[in-house]
Amino acid sequence: MSGKEKLKATAEQIVGRLVRKTAHAMGRRTTAVKGAALQARGKARAFKEKVKDRFGF
């Protein structure tokens, strides 16, 4: 996994988790869902990079 993409994936997961938990605590459901989506996008990006590394793309 390239360092830049790995950092991007980790940052998306952390920011998404932070947004989701903060919005949930404040009762903002729409923002919490957006945070969960950002976190999921980070996980998908990390998975994509792992597959690329595994198969040598």
Side-chain angles (χ1 to χ4, degrees), residues 5 19 35 37 45:
E5 290 296 318
V19 168
R45 184 186 304 270

Side-chain angles (χ1 to χ4, degrees), residues 6-54:
K6 183 177 180 180
L7 182 63
K8 220 185 247 189
T10 303
E12 282 182 343
Q13 289 178 39
I14 291 170
V15 170
R17 187 178 311 124
L18 180 65
V19 168
R20 182 177 53 87
K21 289 187 181 257
T22 303
H24 181 71
M26 295 174 64
R28 307 220 179 224
R29 296 180 81 181
T30 304
T31 307
V33 170
K34 288 179 182 178
L38 184 61
Q39 185 178 2
R41 187 171 70 184
K43 287 181 180 181
R45 184 186 304 270
F47 180 74
K48 177 191 77 165
E49 290 300 316
K50 285 180 185 178
V51 168
K52 283 173 55 177
D53 284 346
R54 176 83 168 133

